[in-house]
Structure formats: structure tokens, C-alpha cells
Amino acid sequence: MHWHAERLILCSLAVALVACKLPEVPITTPKPLEVNLNMRLDVYQYRGDEPQDKEALKNASEATDRMRNRMQEIQTLKNNQLVSEDHRGLLQIREVPSGEWGAQVKKAVAAENEDRMLLMRKKAKESNRPLFEIEDEQWRLRSEQAGTGEWIEVPGNTPGSFELKRVEAKTTPPAIQPTTTPATPKP
């Protein structure tokens, strides 16, 4: 009997739910939805290679004069195999001599690299090219101009790697003598 009472209650609820009408909920809108997206994109480029002093760019002619005055000292360092030309167009110290000469080597290399970077930045800015392209040009130029026995960086065995190499004696091929054959008259 107990089972019949529960069944009767469930049936009455089912009939009541069917008889009730739920309110209609509209799922469409009279106008399409409007979405307004406003975006702002700010792009900043950080150039860590920019000099701190903007006046330095104006002093390119002074840098050229300083490099010219320092040329003999830098060549002496190269001849003594104390410095090498790296793949960025700068000097790298290979060996620091002891004493005051070692301090002078460090000072001369730092001053030379500072002036080289100043001139490369100026050239990059004037030609509207990235600095690394100018550095690459300077590296290739200085490598071609390197004398016998000087140390330069050359591309390594793996992409993006470099290794130091001593410049070998440059030999020029012998001049090719033109061969002349006697002209034979045509019949």
C-alpha cells in the first residue's frame, strides 16, 4: 500500500507540470548585437647599443682623428699578437702583458673599440641599416686588410660560431702570360 501512495503522488506531479505553461523567453533580439573593439598598439624598440651621450654621434670626426693617432700603437699590439680582430669589427685582447704595458694595452683597446663603435653607429644611422650589418662589413674589411701573422676571427665549423685564426702569408698568383699564336692568313 505504501508503494501505491508514492506512485499516486508522482503521477499527480507529472500531470500538474504538463498542465503548467512556462513563460516564453525570447532568444533573439530585434537588432543585431554590436561589438565595439578599440585597440592601441605601442611598439618600442630598445637599442642597447645606443651611446649614453648623444653628443658622441657629433664627434665622429674627432673619433677618426683619435683612431688615426692611435694607428701605430694598435698595429704594434697586432704585430706582437696581443690583440685580434673579432667578428663584430672590434679588437679583442688575446693576452695582457704584465705591468704598465698591460694597463696601456687595455686602455688602448678600450679607446679604439669605443671610437669604432661610435663610427659604426653613425654609419648605421646614416644608412638606415641595422648595426650588425655594419659590424659585419667592418669585420670583413679588417679581415681582408689583416697582415701576415695577425689574428682574426673566422667562421667556425657550426653556424654562428667563430674561431681565431692566424693570417697566413698572402701569395699572389703569378701573372698569366698571354699566349700569342701567329695569325694565319685566311685564303
Side-chain angles (χ1 to χ4, degrees), residues 23 25 136 179:
V25 177
D136 189 60
T179 57

Side-chain angles (χ1 to χ4, degrees), residues 74 77 83 91 93 104-114:
I74 297 300
L77 298 178
V83 297
L91 288 176
I93 298 176
Q104 180 58 29
V105 167
K106 289 179 181 177
K107 183 179 174 184
V109 168
E112 180 73 9
N113 285 341
E114 185 177 327

Side-chain angles (χ1 to χ4, degrees), residues 37-105:
L37 292 177
N38 289 322
M39 293 179 64
R40 178 178 163 176
L41 176 64
D42 295 324
V43 178
Y44 297 96
Q45 182 176 2
Y46 171 71
R47 293 186 49 139
D49 56 2
E50 289 288 330
Q52 297 297 323
D53 181 14
K54 296 295 182 182
E55 284 294 311
L57 291 176
K58 296 178 183 175
N59 298 326
S61 64
E62 291 175 11
T64 304
D65 291 341
R66 288 191 300 266
M67 288 175 66
R68 189 174 297 119
N69 293 336
R70 197 182 304 118
M71 193 179 296
Q72 183 60 44
E73 182 179 11
I74 297 300
Q75 191 60 51
T76 300
L77 298 178
K78 288 180 178 183
N79 292 344
N80 287 308
Q81 300 178 11
L82 297 174
V83 297
S84 64
E85 292 285 348
D86 74 3
H87 67 279
R88 293 181 55 217
L90 301 175
L91 288 176
Q92 292 294 319
I93 298 176
R94 292 187 61 244
E95 184 180 333
V96 180
S98 61
E100 291 180 29
W101 194 32
Q104 180 58 29
V105 167

Side-chain angles (χ1 to χ4, degrees), residues 2-183:
H2 188 18
W3 177 77
H4 291 296
E6 287 179 6
R7 191 169 181 201
L8 184 62
I9 292 173
L10 284 174
C11 285
S12 332
L13 283 175
V15 169
L17 283 176
V18 170
C20 292
K21 187 174 182 184
L22 295 175
E24 249 182 64
V25 177
I27 56 172
T28 60
T29 59
K31 282 188 350 183
L33 291 177
E34 185 176 315
V35 177
N36 188 358
L37 292 177
N38 289 322
M39 293 179 64
R40 178 178 163 176
L41 176 64
D42 295 324
V43 178
Y44 297 96
Q45 182 176 2
Y46 171 71
R47 293 186 49 139
D49 56 2
E50 289 288 330
Q52 297 297 323
D53 181 14
K54 296 295 182 182
E55 284 294 311
L57 291 176
K58 296 178 183 175
N59 298 326
S61 64
E62 291 175 11
T64 304
D65 291 341
R66 288 191 300 266
M67 288 175 66
R68 189 174 297 119
N69 293 336
R70 197 182 304 118
M71 193 179 296
Q72 183 60 44
E73 182 179 11
I74 297 300
Q75 191 60 51
T76 300
L77 298 178
K78 288 180 178 183
N79 292 344
N80 287 308
Q81 300 178 11
L82 297 174
V83 297
S84 64
E85 292 285 348
D86 74 3
H87 67 279
R88 293 181 55 217
L90 301 175
L91 288 176
Q92 292 294 319
I93 298 176
R94 292 187 61 244
E95 184 180 333
V96 180
S98 61
E100 291 180 29
W101 194 32
Q104 180 58 29
V105 167
K106 289 179 181 177
K107 183 179 174 184
V109 168
E112 180 73 9
N113 285 341
E114 185 177 327
D115 287 339
R116 286 183 181 189
M117 282 303 295
L118 188 141
L119 293 174
M120 286 189 287
R121 280 190 208 105
K122 182 178 183 289
K123 186 174 182 178
K125 191 170 193 166
E126 287 174 352
S127 63
N128 198 24
R129 294 187 309 166
L131 180 61
F132 73 87
E133 285 183 9
I134 306 301
E135 290 173 340
D136 189 60
E137 282 177 8
Q138 289 299 307
W139 165 51
R140 293 187 192 288
L141 177 68
R142 292 179 193 283
S143 294
E144 290 170 4
Q145 294 173 346
T148 303
E150 292 182 14
W151 288 90
I152 59 172
E153 271 190 337
V154 295
N157 295 332
T158 58
S161 70
F162 298 91
E163 57 187 41
L164 281 178
K165 179 182 175 186
R166 221 170 142 196
V167 177
E168 302 291 328
K170 297 178 182 174
T171 59
T172 55
I176 300 173
Q177 297 296 326
T179 57
T180 57
T181 57

